[in-house]
């Protein structure tokens, strides 16, 4: 493939999708800068795209995927079923990801629950939100119920954002939201461009547009555009117009978009308020009529609350055409200049403010003209499509020259067979039974991955090196060693996800130190990487507060984003008949060593919470403190 090749994944027209229109409008500009290949869904209708853009179906791309190894991949990701097809490629071949909706929870639904795949949905909850995600998954499995605000408060985008080489968003609001999920992400703000077709509205007068659409030339016309959903606050508009019916001059309210009865029954509300004579729903508006509707309107009502962080392409087109618009002063809409739109604050008095804005604009055509002209000037400057295309070109060029970041372990782990391990033990003749060798005796460390990057934290490097060389010789030379007393800070300073395997061998110390170590471990280890934690307690030492049982550390590991694979208790002379349900057993045993093998499943760190403060300053110094049963109040935790 040419060095400047670009592979684009996105729906395109004739699919009825705003992102499809967005991508199609940029394709000629991408074709100017790159050798472009567009990959569409297998079932998508035949597209009509720029002549210099090659088109492949997903199945065709997958048979030729090696041909595109050096190409930058550009993914347009939105919150609807049209984008599900690209997710599997995106997850295995990272690139530049355009996040059109910050919250992608509904997209995950379309990928999983739409097909009855509850397990994959629940695994995603855990991957995205760790311990709280596990509790929410458990709740969903038992009741199949979710709080509706989960779709906004749990954006389910971390897995996509974390592995992307760069993320493109359309607003400062979206940029902050994405960085909140993945602080180390490269996030580029490229304002949603204004379609070139919007410039043609300068040639169409309001009277001409209304004539084409069969609308009264003199009636005051309010208009909402796009899919008719609950978040568009249509019912609030209907109530306000009902109250203003006898105050405003004769008017109509036109809802120019496709109804979604499963999300909001607009016809029922029109009937409830007896507004059938002045309110109508057009259904889907084809491209050839879209700008006629904008030109015909006196006031565009574009309300969205709650918001998934999306920037409305419909609104950008309307503003760029000189429309006077009313928006909610929330999310990306707050970034519009105050002069370019009427921004209604969201709160208890929202409908009062909305009604006031509708009345003022409805009675003052000069004010409408002033606001519309300010909108036109702003959007045609800041949102010009050539500026957007240049920003994409520069972002893609930067990614092409940047080193690739890993996110997951690229190959499954392999462990020593029983025979190979016994042979290694025999070579040692007298296996060390001192604390700190349980990981070795139980063959806990994997023997092979795909060129694994390994870090070992221990006090006795020589002993660990001797054990590793017996059966892990092929990785021993790649190991980075960190001394126990000062391992947390160096681990925290490593590049994120740069470690595939982390072995920590040390005596049990303060629980706060252990927690800081687990947080650092999560940062350093790649998703799917292994952490082996070998801890021991000598009866001569005081058990740290908060640790009365190995289960306490199980809980810490889960909160730090790790899933338990196996746990061993030793040394060998310790009877396995010890009642581990008895917290005192941990302290009565002369020497207890416990080894955990865990895999990183999430980058969401769930703070220990109240129990940590109790350990530092216990309210009753003589009262034993345990972790078990003290943290289940997090069932309703968001992110």
């Amino acid at each position: 493939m040419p060095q400047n090749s670009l592979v684009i994944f996105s729906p395109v027209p004739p699919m009825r999708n705003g992102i499809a229109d967005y991508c199609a409008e940029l394709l000629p500009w991408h074709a100017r800068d790159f050798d472009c290949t567009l990959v569409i869904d297998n079932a998508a209708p035949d597209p009509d795209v720029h002549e210099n853009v090659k088109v492949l179906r997903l199945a065709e791309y997958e048979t030729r995927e090696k041909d595109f190894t050096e190409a930058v991949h550009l993914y347009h990701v939105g919150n609807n079923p049209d984008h599900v097809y690209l997710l599997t490629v995106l997850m295995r071949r990272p690139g530049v990801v355009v996040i059109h909706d910050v919250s992608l929870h509904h997209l995950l639904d379309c990928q999983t629950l739409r097909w009855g795949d509850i397990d994959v949905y629940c695994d995603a909850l855990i991957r995205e939100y760790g311990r709280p995600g596990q509790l929410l998954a458990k709740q969903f499995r038992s009741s199949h119920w979710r709080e509706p605000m989960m779709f906004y408060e749990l954006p389910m985008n971390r897995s996509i954002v974390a592995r992307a080489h760069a993320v493109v968003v359309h607003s400062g609001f979206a940029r902050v939201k994405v960085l909140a999920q993945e602080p180390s992400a490269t996030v580029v703000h490229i304002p949603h461009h204004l379609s070139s077709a919007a410039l043609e509205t300068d040639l169409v007068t309001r009277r001409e547009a209304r004539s084409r659409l069969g609308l009264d030339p003199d009636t005051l016309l309010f208009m909402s555009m796009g899919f008719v959903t609950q978040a568009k606050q249509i019912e609030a508009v209907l109530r306000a117009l009902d109250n203003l019916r006898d105050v405003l001059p004769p008017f109509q309210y036109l809802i120019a978009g496709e109804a979604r009865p499963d999300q909001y029954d607009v016809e029922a509300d029109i009937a409830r308020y007896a507004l059938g004579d002045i309110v109508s729903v057009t259904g889907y508006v084809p491209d050839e009529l879209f700008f006629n509707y904008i030109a015909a309107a006196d006031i565009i009502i574009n309300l969205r609350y709650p918001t998934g962080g999306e920037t409305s392409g419909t609104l950008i087109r309307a503003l760029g055409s000189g429309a006077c618009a009313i928006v909610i002063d929330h999310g990306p809409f707050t970034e519009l200049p105050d002069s370019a739109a009427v921004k209604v604050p969201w709160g208890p008095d929202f409908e009062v403010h909305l009604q006031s804005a509708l009345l003022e604009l409805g009675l003052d055509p000069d004010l409408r003209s002033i606001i519309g002209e300010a909108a036109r000037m702003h959007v045609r400057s800041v949102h010009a499509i050539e500026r957007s295309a240049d920003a994409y070109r520069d972002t893609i060029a930067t990614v092409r020259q940047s080193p690739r970041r890993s996110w997951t372990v690229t190959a499954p782990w392999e462990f020593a067979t029983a025979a190979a391990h016994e042979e290694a033990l025999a070579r040692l003749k007298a296996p060390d039974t001192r604390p700190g060798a349980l990981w070795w005796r139980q063959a806990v460390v994997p023997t092979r991955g795909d060129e694994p990057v390994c870090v070992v934290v221990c006090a006795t490097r020589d002993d660990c090196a001797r054990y590793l060389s017996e059966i892990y010789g092929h990785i021993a030379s790649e190991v980075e060693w960190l001394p126990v007393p000062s391992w947390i800070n160096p681990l925290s300073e490593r590049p994120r996800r740069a470690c595939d395997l982390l072995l920590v061998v040390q005596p049990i110390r303060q629980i706060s130190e252990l927690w800081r170590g687990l947080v650092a471990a999560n940062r350093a280890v790649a998703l799917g990487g292994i952490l082996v934690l070998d801890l021991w307690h000598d009866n001569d030492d005081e058990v740290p507060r908060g640790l009365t049982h190995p289960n306490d550390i199980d809980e810490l590991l889960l909160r730090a984003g790790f899933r338990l694979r196996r746990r061993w208790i030793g040394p060998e002379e310790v009877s396995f008949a010890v009642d581990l349900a008895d917290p005192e057993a941990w302290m009565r045993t002369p020497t207890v060593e416990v080894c955990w093998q865990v895999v990183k499943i999430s980058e969401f760190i769930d703070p220990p919470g109240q129990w940590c403060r109790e350990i530092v300053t216990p309210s009753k110094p003589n009262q034993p403190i345990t972790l078990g049963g003290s943290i289940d109040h997090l069932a309703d935790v968001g992110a």
Side-chain angles (χ1 to χ4, degrees):
M1 295 296 292
Q3 287 296 315
N4 69 333
S5 57
L6 176 67
V7 182
I8 304 167
F9 286 75
S10 177
V12 291
M15 297 190 74
R16 296 180 175 183
N17 179 315
I19 297 172
D21 297 332
Y22 175 96
C23 179
E25 290 161 0
L26 277 173
L27 279 177
W29 298 87
H30 291 328
R32 175 199 65 179
D33 299 321
F34 306 102
D35 181 46
C36 293
T37 300
L38 173 69
V39 181
I40 61 175
D41 196 358
N42 293 328
D46 291 336
D48 181 17
V49 298
H50 191 272
E51 60 183 1
N52 291 333
V53 177
K54 297 180 286 292
V55 179
L56 294 178
R57 303 276 174 182
L58 177 62
E60 296 174 286
Y61 167 85
E62 290 178 328
T63 62
R64 298 178 48 196
E65 190 165 347
K66 291 183 179 179
D67 295 341
F68 301 98
T69 301
E70 300 301 321
V72 175
H73 285 53
L74 176 66
Y75 303 92
H76 288 274
V77 181
N79 217 10
N80 66 64
D82 296 341
H83 301 265
V84 169
Y85 84 99
L86 59 79
L87 292 177
T88 54
V89 182
L90 184 156
M91 298 304 272
R92 70 173 180 263
R93 190 174 290 279
V96 179
V97 179
V98 188
I99 299 286
H100 291 269
D101 301 273
V102 173
S103 176
L104 298 174
H105 204 130
H106 183 64
L107 177 64
L108 177 66
D109 271 21
C110 295
Q111 183 189 24
T112 58
L113 299 182
R114 181 186 186 190
W115 310 105
D117 200 339
I118 295 176
D119 289 341
V120 174
Y121 174 77
C122 290
D123 286 346
L125 276 175
I126 296 170
R127 182 178 65 244
E128 294 279 322
Y129 299 109
R131 167 65 169 166
Q134 183 187 58
L135 297 173
L136 291 168
K138 180 179 179 180
Q139 173 181 279
F140 181 70
R141 284 185 186 278
S142 63
S143 65
H144 285 196
W145 179 87
R146 293 175 293 177
E147 165 59 45
M149 284 304 293
M150 281 178 60
F151 289 90
Y152 300 96
E153 298 301 324
L154 302 183
M156 302 298 288
N157 63 23
R158 183 178 285 111
S159 297
I160 290 175
V161 168
R163 69 176 59 207
H165 297 147
V167 177
V168 172
V169 295
H170 300 317
S171 67
F173 174 86
R175 185 175 187 275
V176 169
K177 288 289 187 180
V178 168
L179 288 173
Q181 299 298 311
E182 178 50 49
S184 66
T186 299
V187 185
V188 182
H189 174 193
I190 301 179
H192 191 300
H193 67 256
L194 174 65
S195 167
S196 300
L199 305 179
E200 299 176 6
T201 58
D202 294 344
L203 306 176
V204 181
T205 67
R206 179 174 282 103
R207 185 169 293 273
E208 289 172 338
R210 292 192 180 192
S211 176
R212 293 174 185 175
L213 298 174
L215 300 173
D216 187 290
D218 300 317
T219 298
L220 176 65
L221 183 61
F222 298 98
M223 187 178 300
S224 293
M225 305 190 73
F227 292 118
V228 185
T229 62
Q230 189 76 40
K232 299 291 184 66
Q233 300 297 321
I234 299 295
E235 185 178 1
V237 178
L238 295 175
R239 278 195 294 267
L241 292 178
D242 185 35
N243 293 334
L244 296 173
R245 193 165 188 167
D246 298 327
V247 182
L248 287 169
F251 67 85
Q252 277 188 295
Y253 178 36
L254 194 62
I255 303 174
E258 185 175 336
R260 296 287 178 88
D262 59 319
Q263 299 182 39
Y264 171 58
D265 191 347
V266 64
E267 296 292 352
D269 276 347
I270 292 172
R272 179 181 303 122
Y273 295 106
L275 293 172
D277 58 326
I278 58 173
V279 180
S280 56
V281 181
T282 67
Y284 177 76
V285 174
D287 286 346
E288 59 269 19
L289 294 178
F290 183 87
F291 288 103
N292 284 288
Y293 277 99
I294 291 176
D298 291 300
I299 300 167
I300 296 289
I301 305 171
N302 192 299
L303 309 177
R304 297 190 186 208
Y305 189 91
T307 174
E310 70 279 9
T311 293
S312 169
T314 299
L315 178 64
I316 296 300
R317 291 178 175 188
L319 296 177
S321 301
C324 173
I326 299 176
V327 301
I328 293 180
D329 195 9
H330 173 74
F333 303 103
T334 64
E335 298 169 33
L336 290 170
D338 291 343
S339 61
V342 175
K343 295 188 280 188
V344 179
W346 180 262
D349 296 327
F350 163 68
E351 293 195 19
V352 174
H353 292 297
L354 174 62
Q355 184 171 310
S356 175
L358 291 170
L359 178 61
E360 182 180 18
L361 291 176
L363 296 176
D364 193 339
D366 291 337
L367 178 60
R368 299 197 298 265
S369 297
I370 292 171
I371 294 172
E373 184 58 28
R376 186 200 311 267
M377 297 293 291
H378 168 73
V379 170
R380 294 195 180 192
S381 171
V382 174
H383 297 262
I385 192 168
E386 55 268 28
R387 291 183 59 172
S388 179
D390 289 347
Y392 272 102
R393 179 198 61 209
D394 295 343
T395 300
I396 293 167
T398 300
V399 166
R400 190 185 302 280
Q401 298 167 6
S402 301
R404 299 295 185 253
R405 299 187 303 169
S406 62
W407 191 67
T408 62
V409 175
T410 56
W413 293 105
E414 297 179 17
F415 292 84
T417 64
H421 187 243
E422 289 298 325
E423 181 183 351
L425 286 173
R427 286 197 300 270
L428 282 177
K429 296 182 180 179
D432 198 341
T433 58
R434 294 175 299 173
L438 185 58
W439 65 272
W440 158 249
R441 295 195 303 274
Q442 297 295 339
V444 178
V445 174
T447 62
R448 181 173 298 173
D450 183 15
E451 300 180 356
V453 178
C454 309
V455 176
V456 173
V457 176
C458 64
T460 55
R461 169 175 176 165
D462 292 341
D463 284 345
C464 276
R466 183 162 61 96
Y467 296 144
L468 282 170
S469 64
E470 288 299 324
I471 197 168
Y472 312 113
H474 64 289
I475 66 171
S477 61
E478 305 298 326
V479 167
E480 177 180 340
W481 301 84
L482 296 175
V484 165
S486 58
W487 66 281
I488 296 176
N489 287 340
L491 197 65
S492 301
E493 294 167 359
R494 291 176 57 85
R496 292 196 71 181
R497 312 180 191 95
C499 172
D500 301 315
L501 169 66
L502 176 61
L503 169 62
V504 178
V505 184
Q506 69 173 65
I508 296 176
R509 300 185 184 277
Q510 294 181 358
I511 193 169
S512 59
E513 179 186 21
L514 176 60
W515 175 250
R516 289 192 299 113
L518 294 179
V519 172
N522 183 289
R523 185 186 185 283
V525 174
L527 200 76
I530 287 180
L531 166 66
V532 175
L533 187 65
D534 193 323
L535 304 179
W536 67 90
H537 161 64
D538 193 303
N539 190 247
D540 294 335
D541 298 327
E542 181 181 356
V543 177
R545 286 188 178 276
L547 291 178
T548 60
H549 192 280
N551 287 348
D552 297 340
I553 297 179
D554 291 358
E555 184 64 40
L556 283 182
L557 287 163
L558 182 60
R559 285 182 174 275
F562 295 95
R563 173 182 285 161
L564 181 67
R565 295 180 67 168
R566 293 189 65 186
R567 184 179 74 181
W568 296 263
I569 297 180
E572 294 175 342
E573 64 268 20
V574 175
S575 170
F576 283 94
V578 170
D579 182 8
L580 291 178
D582 175 11
E584 300 298 324
W586 173 263
M587 291 181 283
R588 286 199 306 264
T589 307
T591 301
V592 171
E593 182 177 2
V594 186
C595 182
W596 290 262
Q597 182 196 82
V598 296
V599 61
K600 177 178 168 181
I601 61 169
S602 174
E603 297 199 333
F604 186 91
I605 304 297
D606 180 27
Q610 181 62 31
W611 65 266
C612 188
R613 291 189 290 274
E614 291 175 349
I615 291 168
V616 177
T617 56
S619 56
K620 297 181 180 179
N622 297 324
Q623 180 179 352
I625 299 171
T626 63
L627 305 185
S630 65
I631 54 172
D632 288 337
H633 66 283
L634 287 173
D636 58 349
V637 166

